[in-house]
Amino acid sequence: MRPITSPVLSHPSDRKATDSAPAPTRRAEGLMFLSLAVLVWPVIAVGTVSAYGFSIWMYQLLTH
């Protein structure tokens, strides 16, 4: 029997040279971090708190 190999779980050094994508640069990683830290996560946080407040408001409207 042949062992099952998964491209997701395999070690990067086990991959063939043909299916290797270019490694992200330090600058690209920094820009991705900044976009997540400054844009995406604050929007998700505000949306989550807003949705929670809206659900409490609707609950109070329907029960009182």
Side-chain angles (χ1 to χ4, degrees):
M1 262 174 101
R2 213 174 79 194
I4 299 173
T5 58
S6 169
V8 175
L9 300 176
S10 66
H11 192 271
S13 64
D14 297 338
R15 295 184 183 155
K16 297 176 186 170
T18 57
D19 58 307
S20 64
T25 62
R26 190 168 180 88
R27 177 180 168 90
E29 288 181 4
L31 289 173
M32 181 60 68
F33 171 77
L34 284 175
S35 66
L36 285 171
V38 175
L39 300 173
V40 176
W41 288 116
V43 170
I44 291 173
V46 169
T48 302
V49 172
S50 300
Y52 181 68
F54 180 77
S55 66
I56 291 174
W57 180 51
M58 280 292 119
Y59 174 76
Q60 289 177 348
L61 279 175
L62 296 173
T63 58
H64 290 117

